[in-house]
Amino acid sequence: MDRRSFLKTSALGGSAAAASTLAAPAYAQGKRTLTMVTSWPRGFAVLDDAATYMENMVSEMSDGTLTIDKKAPGELVGALEVFDAVTSGQADMYHSADYYFIGQHPGYAYFTAVPFGGTAQEVSNWYYHGGGEQLHDELGSIFNLKGLLAGNSGSQSGGWFRKEINSAADFNGLKFRMPGLGGQVLGKLGASVQNIPGGELYQALSSGALDGLEWVGPMADERAGFQEVAKVYYTAGFHEPGSALSSSVNLDVWNELTDQHKAILRYASMATTQFQLAETLANNGAALARLQAQGVKTMQFSDDVWDAFGKASAEVMDGYMDDPLFAKIRESFEASLANSASWINKSDGYYVQQRVRVLGG
Ligand code: CA
Protein backbone atom coordinates (compact mmCIF):
# COMPACT_ATOMS: atom_id res chain seq x y z
CA MET A 1 0.00 0.00 0.00
CA ASP A 2 1.49 3.34 -0.92
CA ARG A 3 1.49 6.29 1.42
CA ARG A 4 -1.47 8.03 -0.14
CA SER A 5 -3.63 4.91 -0.06
CA PHE A 6 -2.68 4.44 3.56
CA LEU A 7 -3.69 8.01 4.40
CA LYS A 8 -6.97 7.64 2.52
CA THR A 9 -7.74 4.45 4.40
CA SER A 10 -6.82 6.03 7.70
CA ALA A 11 -9.06 9.00 7.10
CA LEU A 12 -11.98 6.83 6.06
CA GLY A 13 -11.46 4.72 9.17
CA GLY A 14 -11.47 7.80 11.43
CA SER A 15 -14.42 9.27 13.23
CA ALA A 16 -17.45 10.35 11.21
CA ALA A 17 -17.10 13.88 12.58
CA ALA A 18 -13.49 14.14 11.45
CA ALA A 19 -14.26 12.72 8.03
CA SER A 20 -17.11 15.15 7.47
CA THR A 21 -15.00 18.21 8.27
CA LEU A 22 -12.05 17.26 6.10
CA ALA A 23 -12.23 18.44 2.53
CA ALA A 24 -9.67 15.93 1.36
CA PRO A 25 -9.01 12.45 2.69
CA ALA A 26 -5.23 12.81 2.66
CA TYR A 27 -5.35 15.36 5.46
CA ALA A 28 -4.59 14.37 9.03
CA GLN A 29 -6.09 16.74 11.62
CA GLY A 30 -6.57 19.31 8.84
CA LYS A 31 -2.86 19.46 8.07
CA ARG A 32 -0.90 18.25 5.10
CA THR A 33 2.83 17.95 4.51
CA LEU A 34 4.09 17.63 0.95
CA THR A 35 7.41 15.96 0.28
CA MET A 36 9.31 18.09 -2.23
CA VAL A 37 12.35 16.59 -3.92
CA THR A 38 14.75 19.09 -5.47
CA SER A 39 17.61 19.08 -7.95
CA TRP A 40 19.68 21.46 -5.81
CA PRO A 41 22.13 20.79 -2.98
CA ARG A 42 21.15 22.61 0.22
CA GLY A 43 22.44 26.18 0.24
CA PHE A 44 23.01 26.34 -3.54
CA ALA A 45 22.63 30.02 -4.44
CA VAL A 46 19.62 31.07 -6.55
CA LEU A 47 18.22 27.56 -7.09
CA ASP A 48 17.90 26.24 -3.55
CA ASP A 49 17.03 29.80 -2.53
CA ALA A 50 13.91 29.56 -4.72
CA ALA A 51 12.93 26.18 -3.29
CA THR A 52 13.40 27.52 0.23
CA TYR A 53 11.31 30.64 -0.49
CA MET A 54 8.55 28.35 -1.76
CA GLU A 55 8.80 26.16 1.32
CA ASN A 56 8.61 29.13 3.69
CA MET A 57 5.87 31.01 1.82
CA VAL A 58 3.54 28.01 1.76
CA SER A 59 3.90 27.48 5.49
CA GLU A 60 3.36 31.16 6.29
CA MET A 61 0.42 31.65 3.93
CA SER A 62 -1.37 28.55 5.23
CA ASP A 63 -0.62 29.28 8.89
CA GLY A 64 1.13 25.93 9.04
CA THR A 65 -1.76 23.84 7.73
CA LEU A 66 0.20 23.11 4.54
CA THR A 67 3.92 22.51 4.84
CA ILE A 68 6.68 21.38 2.51
CA ASP A 69 9.33 18.86 3.53
CA LYS A 70 12.22 19.69 1.21
CA LYS A 71 14.59 16.88 0.22
CA ALA A 72 17.92 17.73 -1.46
CA PRO A 73 19.52 15.36 -4.00
CA GLY A 74 20.46 12.08 -2.36
CA GLU A 75 18.08 12.48 0.56
CA LEU A 76 15.30 10.64 -1.26
CA VAL A 77 16.26 10.49 -4.96
CA GLY A 78 19.00 11.85 -7.21
CA ALA A 79 19.01 15.39 -8.65
CA LEU A 80 17.67 14.37 -12.06
CA GLU A 81 15.31 11.66 -10.73
CA VAL A 82 12.84 14.08 -9.21
CA PHE A 83 10.42 14.04 -12.16
CA ASP A 84 10.00 10.27 -12.09
CA ALA A 85 9.72 10.34 -8.28
CA VAL A 86 6.75 12.72 -8.47
CA THR A 87 4.98 11.13 -11.43
CA SER A 88 5.20 7.77 -9.67
CA GLY A 89 3.93 9.16 -6.35
CA GLN A 90 7.19 8.46 -4.48
CA ALA A 91 7.30 12.20 -3.73
CA ASP A 92 4.48 14.76 -3.78
CA MET A 93 6.18 17.57 -5.72
CA TYR A 94 9.54 18.59 -7.12
CA HIS A 95 11.54 21.79 -7.42
CA SER A 96 13.68 21.62 -10.50
CA ALA A 97 14.11 22.94 -14.03
CA ASP A 98 11.70 21.29 -16.45
CA TYR A 99 14.19 21.28 -19.32
CA TYR A 100 15.99 18.48 -17.52
CA PHE A 101 13.01 16.36 -18.61
CA ILE A 102 13.00 16.85 -22.38
CA GLY A 103 13.70 13.12 -22.57
CA GLN A 104 10.20 12.60 -21.14
CA HIS A 105 8.77 15.20 -23.55
CA PRO A 106 10.58 17.89 -25.57
CA GLY A 107 7.78 20.37 -24.77
CA TYR A 108 9.18 20.61 -21.24
CA ALA A 109 11.95 22.83 -22.61
CA TYR A 110 9.49 25.72 -22.84
CA PHE A 111 8.81 25.64 -19.10
CA THR A 112 12.44 26.45 -18.30
CA ALA A 113 13.99 28.12 -21.33
CA VAL A 114 14.50 27.56 -25.05
CA PRO A 115 17.22 28.93 -27.33
CA PHE A 116 16.45 32.51 -28.35
CA GLY A 117 13.42 32.36 -26.04
CA GLY A 118 11.91 34.89 -23.67
CA THR A 119 13.33 37.07 -20.95
CA ALA A 120 12.03 36.37 -17.44
CA GLN A 121 9.23 38.89 -17.89
CA GLU A 122 8.33 37.54 -21.33
CA VAL A 123 8.14 34.00 -19.92
CA SER A 124 5.72 35.25 -17.25
CA ASN A 125 3.73 37.15 -19.89
CA TRP A 126 3.23 33.90 -21.81
CA TYR A 127 2.68 31.72 -18.76
CA TYR A 128 0.05 33.84 -17.02
CA HIS A 129 -1.53 35.76 -19.90
CA GLY A 130 -0.67 33.85 -23.07
CA GLY A 131 -1.81 30.29 -22.44
CA GLY A 132 1.44 28.87 -21.03
CA GLU A 133 0.01 27.77 -17.70
CA GLN A 134 -2.77 25.80 -19.43
CA LEU A 135 -0.24 24.15 -21.73
CA HIS A 136 1.93 23.24 -18.72
CA ASP A 137 -1.13 21.43 -17.33
CA GLU A 138 -1.93 19.80 -20.68
CA LEU A 139 1.63 18.49 -20.87
CA GLY A 140 1.57 17.56 -17.18
CA SER A 141 -1.64 15.56 -17.58
CA ILE A 142 0.34 13.03 -19.65
CA PHE A 143 2.60 12.48 -16.65
CA ASN A 144 0.05 12.95 -13.85
CA LEU A 145 1.45 16.38 -12.89
CA LYS A 146 -0.02 19.77 -12.03
CA GLY A 147 2.40 22.35 -13.44
CA LEU A 148 3.60 25.30 -11.35
CA LEU A 149 6.46 27.68 -12.16
CA ALA A 150 8.34 28.78 -9.03
CA GLY A 151 11.43 30.85 -9.68
CA ASN A 152 13.27 32.49 -12.52
CA SER A 153 17.02 33.01 -12.63
CA GLY A 154 16.85 35.73 -15.27
CA SER A 155 19.20 36.04 -18.21
CA GLN A 156 21.85 33.37 -17.85
CA SER A 157 25.51 33.69 -18.72
CA GLY A 158 27.00 32.23 -21.89
CA GLY A 159 29.29 30.16 -19.75
CA TRP A 160 32.78 29.40 -18.49
CA PHE A 161 35.62 28.46 -20.83
CA ARG A 162 39.32 27.79 -20.49
CA LYS A 163 40.00 29.56 -23.80
CA GLU A 164 38.23 32.15 -25.90
CA ILE A 165 35.62 31.21 -28.51
CA ASN A 166 36.64 33.07 -31.67
CA SER A 167 34.39 31.23 -34.11
CA ALA A 168 31.62 28.63 -34.03
CA ALA A 169 34.25 26.06 -35.08
CA ASP A 170 35.83 26.41 -31.62
CA PHE A 171 32.87 24.45 -30.22
CA ASN A 172 33.89 21.43 -32.29
CA GLY A 173 35.00 18.69 -29.89
CA LEU A 174 34.55 20.88 -26.81
CA LYS A 175 33.37 18.91 -23.76
CA PHE A 176 30.68 21.24 -22.51
CA ARG A 177 27.81 21.09 -20.03
CA MET A 178 24.54 22.61 -21.18
CA PRO A 179 21.10 21.04 -20.54
CA GLY A 180 17.93 21.33 -22.60
CA LEU A 181 17.57 22.25 -26.24
CA GLY A 182 20.50 24.68 -25.91
CA GLY A 183 22.77 21.71 -25.36
CA GLN A 184 21.45 20.11 -28.53
CA VAL A 185 22.28 23.33 -30.38
CA LEU A 186 25.90 23.13 -29.25
CA GLY A 187 25.83 19.46 -30.26
CA LYS A 188 25.02 20.58 -33.81
CA LEU A 189 28.13 22.78 -33.67
CA GLY A 190 30.17 19.69 -32.79
CA ALA A 191 30.42 20.01 -29.01
CA SER A 192 30.36 16.92 -26.83
CA VAL A 193 27.45 17.97 -24.62
CA GLN A 194 26.66 16.59 -21.20
CA ASN A 195 24.02 17.35 -18.61
CA ILE A 196 25.66 17.07 -15.21
CA PRO A 197 23.79 18.09 -12.02
CA GLY A 198 24.85 21.42 -10.53
CA GLY A 199 26.36 19.87 -7.44
CA GLU A 200 28.86 17.90 -9.53
CA LEU A 201 29.97 20.64 -11.92
CA TYR A 202 32.92 22.10 -10.02
CA GLN A 203 34.58 18.71 -9.80
CA ALA A 204 33.92 17.96 -13.48
CA LEU A 205 35.48 21.26 -14.56
CA SER A 206 38.42 20.91 -12.17
CA SER A 207 39.24 17.38 -13.30
CA GLY A 208 39.09 18.19 -17.01
CA ALA A 209 36.05 15.97 -17.56
CA LEU A 210 34.56 19.22 -18.90
CA ASP A 211 36.30 21.92 -20.98
CA GLY A 212 33.58 24.39 -20.08
CA LEU A 213 30.09 24.77 -18.74
CA GLU A 214 27.14 27.03 -18.31
CA TRP A 215 25.42 27.19 -14.94
CA VAL A 216 23.34 30.27 -14.10
CA GLY A 217 24.81 33.75 -13.73
CA PRO A 218 27.38 35.67 -11.67
CA MET A 219 25.71 35.23 -8.26
CA ALA A 220 25.21 31.48 -8.51
CA ASP A 221 28.39 30.85 -10.49
CA GLU A 222 30.58 32.72 -8.00
CA ARG A 223 29.15 30.65 -5.13
CA ALA A 224 29.89 27.48 -7.11
CA GLY A 225 33.51 28.63 -7.46
CA PHE A 226 34.00 28.17 -11.22
CA GLN A 227 36.30 31.22 -11.29
CA GLU A 228 38.90 29.09 -9.53
CA VAL A 229 39.21 26.71 -12.51
CA ALA A 230 38.27 28.75 -15.62
CA LYS A 231 38.98 32.38 -16.43
CA VAL A 232 36.99 33.18 -19.58
CA TYR A 233 33.37 34.11 -18.92
CA TYR A 234 30.86 34.96 -21.65
CA THR A 235 28.21 37.09 -19.99
CA ALA A 236 25.35 36.74 -22.50
CA GLY A 237 24.06 33.42 -23.78
CA PHE A 238 21.53 32.32 -26.40
CA HIS A 239 20.29 29.34 -24.45
CA GLU A 240 18.51 30.65 -21.33
CA PRO A 241 17.46 34.30 -21.57
CA GLY A 242 14.92 33.93 -18.72
CA SER A 243 15.14 30.55 -17.11
CA ALA A 244 12.12 29.41 -15.11
CA LEU A 245 12.09 26.89 -12.29
CA SER A 246 9.22 24.52 -11.64
CA SER A 247 7.54 23.15 -8.52
CA SER A 248 5.09 20.77 -10.16
CA VAL A 249 2.86 18.55 -8.02
CA ASN A 250 1.65 14.98 -8.44
CA LEU A 251 -1.85 15.37 -9.89
CA ASP A 252 -3.50 12.91 -7.47
CA VAL A 253 -1.98 14.83 -4.57
CA TRP A 254 -3.07 18.15 -6.12
CA ASN A 255 -6.64 16.93 -6.59
CA GLU A 256 -6.85 15.95 -2.92
CA LEU A 257 -5.85 19.41 -1.70
CA THR A 258 -8.42 21.93 -0.52
CA ASP A 259 -9.15 24.83 -2.86
CA GLN A 260 -7.43 27.13 -0.38
CA HIS A 261 -4.26 25.04 -0.38
CA LYS A 262 -4.28 24.85 -4.18
CA ALA A 263 -4.50 28.64 -4.28
CA ILE A 264 -1.68 28.95 -1.74
CA LEU A 265 0.60 26.73 -3.82
CA ARG A 266 -0.23 28.67 -7.00
CA TYR A 267 0.27 32.11 -5.46
CA ALA A 268 3.34 31.08 -3.47
CA SER A 269 4.89 29.78 -6.69
CA MET A 270 4.13 33.10 -8.44
CA ALA A 271 5.59 35.06 -5.53
CA THR A 272 8.65 32.80 -5.51
CA THR A 273 9.25 33.64 -9.17
CA GLN A 274 9.18 37.37 -8.50
CA PHE A 275 11.11 37.31 -5.22
CA GLN A 276 13.86 35.01 -6.45
CA LEU A 277 14.26 36.78 -9.79
CA ALA A 278 14.70 40.04 -7.90
CA GLU A 279 17.27 38.40 -5.62
CA THR A 280 19.29 37.23 -8.62
CA LEU A 281 19.15 40.48 -10.56
CA ALA A 282 19.90 42.52 -7.45
CA ASN A 283 23.11 40.59 -6.86
CA ASN A 284 24.50 39.68 -10.29
CA GLY A 285 26.22 43.01 -10.95
CA ALA A 286 28.23 43.02 -7.73
CA ALA A 287 29.07 39.33 -8.14
CA LEU A 288 30.35 40.01 -11.66
CA ALA A 289 32.61 42.79 -10.36
CA ARG A 290 34.05 40.40 -7.75
CA LEU A 291 34.68 37.76 -10.44
CA GLN A 292 36.53 40.32 -12.56
CA ALA A 293 38.59 41.30 -9.53
CA GLN A 294 39.65 37.66 -9.29
CA GLY A 295 41.07 37.73 -12.82
CA VAL A 296 38.07 36.53 -14.77
CA LYS A 297 37.94 37.93 -18.32
CA THR A 298 34.37 38.81 -19.35
CA MET A 299 33.48 38.65 -23.02
CA GLN A 300 30.65 38.47 -25.55
CA PHE A 301 30.35 36.04 -28.44
CA SER A 302 30.85 37.63 -31.87
CA ASP A 303 27.93 38.20 -34.22
CA ASP A 304 29.16 35.30 -36.38
CA VAL A 305 28.93 32.97 -33.38
CA TRP A 306 25.45 34.28 -32.53
CA ASP A 307 24.40 33.66 -36.14
CA ALA A 308 25.63 30.07 -35.87
CA PHE A 309 23.67 29.68 -32.62
CA GLY A 310 20.57 30.97 -34.41
CA LYS A 311 20.88 28.64 -37.40
CA ALA A 312 21.48 25.57 -35.24
CA SER A 313 18.66 26.57 -32.84
CA ALA A 314 16.12 26.68 -35.68
CA GLU A 315 17.26 23.22 -36.80
CA VAL A 316 16.86 21.81 -33.29
CA MET A 317 13.39 23.28 -32.79
CA ASP A 318 12.20 22.24 -36.23
CA GLY A 319 13.32 18.70 -35.51
CA TYR A 320 10.57 18.29 -32.90
CA MET A 321 7.69 19.68 -34.94
CA ASP A 322 6.34 16.21 -35.74
CA ASP A 323 5.13 16.09 -32.13
CA PRO A 324 1.73 17.84 -32.12
CA LEU A 325 1.94 19.02 -28.52
CA PHE A 326 5.47 20.37 -28.98
CA ALA A 327 4.24 22.22 -32.07
CA LYS A 328 1.24 23.58 -30.15
CA ILE A 329 3.41 24.80 -27.26
CA ARG A 330 5.98 26.34 -29.63
CA GLU A 331 3.28 28.16 -31.59
CA SER A 332 1.71 29.55 -28.43
CA PHE A 333 5.08 30.60 -26.99
CA GLU A 334 6.29 32.28 -30.18
CA ALA A 335 3.00 34.15 -30.64
CA SER A 336 3.33 35.53 -27.10
CA LEU A 337 6.99 36.39 -27.67
CA ALA A 338 6.18 38.30 -30.86
CA ASN A 339 3.55 40.25 -28.96
CA SER A 340 6.02 41.05 -26.15
CA ALA A 341 8.77 41.97 -28.59
CA SER A 342 6.52 44.36 -30.48
CA TRP A 343 6.47 46.56 -27.38
CA ILE A 344 9.61 45.76 -25.36
CA ASN A 345 12.01 46.99 -28.07
CA LYS A 346 10.15 50.27 -28.30
CA SER A 347 9.93 50.75 -24.54
CA ASP A 348 12.24 48.93 -22.10
CA GLY A 349 14.97 48.20 -24.64
CA TYR A 350 15.13 51.73 -25.98
CA TYR A 351 14.76 53.30 -22.54
CA VAL A 352 17.68 51.32 -21.07
CA GLN A 353 19.87 52.30 -24.04
CA GLN A 354 19.03 55.95 -23.42
CA ARG A 355 19.52 55.70 -19.67
CA VAL A 356 22.96 54.20 -20.12
CA ARG A 357 23.80 56.84 -22.72
CA VAL A 358 22.68 59.72 -20.49
CA LEU A 359 23.69 58.48 -17.04
CA GLY A 360 26.22 55.75 -17.82
CA GLY A 361 26.03 52.26 -16.38
CA1 CA B 1 21.74 27.19 -16.94
Side-chain angles (χ1 to χ4, degrees):
M1 183 183 290
D2 69 24
R3 179 166 167 269
R4 238 178 6 262
S5 302
F6 172 75
L7 288 168
K8 276 182 187 171
T9 306
S10 300
L12 290 172
S15 73
S20 67
T21 55
L22 293 176
Y27 284 84
Q29 284 85 48
K31 293 187 176 181
R32 186 77 165 90
T33 297
L34 302 177
T35 300
M36 180 170 79
V37 285
T38 82
S39 299
W40 331 117
R42 289 184 185 274
F44 238 50
V46 177
L47 295 309
D48 188 52
D49 292 347
T52 303
Y53 290 145
M54 180 80 183
E55 179 184 21
N56 293 338
M57 285 182 195
V58 166
S59 179
E60 289 174 19
M61 291 166 78
S62 71
D63 201 18
T65 60
L66 184 65
T67 51
I68 288 175
D69 180 16
K70 183 160 68 77
K71 303 283 191 192
E75 295 179 16
L76 188 62
V77 295
L80 303 181
E81 296 167 352
V82 299
F83 185 95
D84 290 343
V86 175
T87 59
S88 70
Q90 184 184 5
D92 298 316
M93 63 193 297
Y94 64 77
H95 194 272
S96 187
D98 274 354
Y99 71 170
Y100 293 153
F101 314 121
I102 55 173
Q104 281 84 347
H105 194 287
Y108 271 114
Y110 284 89
F111 300 96
T112 302
V114 294
F116 289 87
T119 63
Q121 183 60 57
E122 289 173 323
V123 169
S124 288
N125 297 351
W126 172 61
Y127 197 77
Y128 295 113
H129 295 278
E133 189 174 21
Q134 290 76 20
L135 287 167
H136 205 191
D137 285 340
E138 184 174 340
L139 183 54
S141 68
I142 300 171
F143 300 96
N144 204 36
L145 291 173
K146 161 62 188 170
L148 293 170
L149 292 191
N152 194 302
S153 50
S155 49
Q156 296 212 354
S157 302
W160 294 88
F161 297 78
R162 287 208 175 82
K163 56 183 185 178
E164 296 177 17
I165 297 294
N166 295 312
S167 76
D170 289 340
F171 279 102
N172 197 23
L174 201 72
K175 292 176 290 183
F176 200 81
R177 182 269 185 187
M178 181 182 283
L181 299 184
Q184 295 180 13
V185 170
L186 293 190
K188 288 214 177 267
L189 300 181
S192 171
V193 179
Q194 304 168 51
N195 182 21
I196 298 174
E200 301 166 24
L201 286 176
Y202 180 90
Q203 173 60 26
L205 191 60
S206 306
S207 70
L210 286 175
D211 297 318
L213 59 85
E214 73 79 44
W215 176 229
V216 181
M219 179 189 179
D221 292 7
E222 179 192 36
R223 187 90 66 88
F226 302 133
Q227 67 275 13
E228 297 165 10
V229 282
K231 292 296 182 191
V232 178
Y233 192 38
Y234 284 83
T235 52
F238 73 97
H239 59 299
E240 298 186 55
S243 226
L245 304 172
S246 174
S247 63
S248 296
V249 182
N250 178 287
L251 195 56
D252 297 329
V253 171
W254 175 265
N255 288 335
E256 290 173 354
L257 294 174
T258 63
D259 288 347
Q260 183 192 20
H261 283 173
K262 286 175 184 168
I264 285 170
L265 281 176
R266 184 165 178 268
Y267 292 123
S269 68
M270 293 168 77
T272 295
T273 294
Q274 181 59 26
F275 198 62
Q276 184 261 319
L277 175 64
E279 177 205 23
T280 306
L281 298 181
N283 287 288
N284 270 347
L288 184 65
R290 289 192 298 271
L291 291 171
Q292 290 170 317
Q294 294 174 68
V296 171
K297 182 177 184 182
T298 56
M299 302 188 70
Q300 303 289 10
F301 297 116
S302 68
D303 286 356
D304 286 349
V305 172
W306 278 93
D307 288 344
F309 290 153
K311 182 170 178 289
S313 295
E315 289 172 12
V316 166
M317 314 292 268
D318 291 348
Y320 288 106
M321 290 300 281
D322 287 346
D323 184 292
L325 185 51
F326 179 91
K328 183 179 179 182
I329 294 168
R330 183 185 183 187
E331 183 183 354
S332 168
F333 180 84
E334 291 185 353
S336 177
L337 204 61
N339 188 42
S340 290
S342 70
W343 173 243
I344 196 171
N345 293 340
K346 299 177 183 67
S347 56
D348 304 51
Y350 187 74
Y351 165 72
V352 171
Q353 277 182 32
Q354 291 297 338
R355 191 181 65 186
V356 169
R357 189 184 66 80
V358 174
L359 299 182

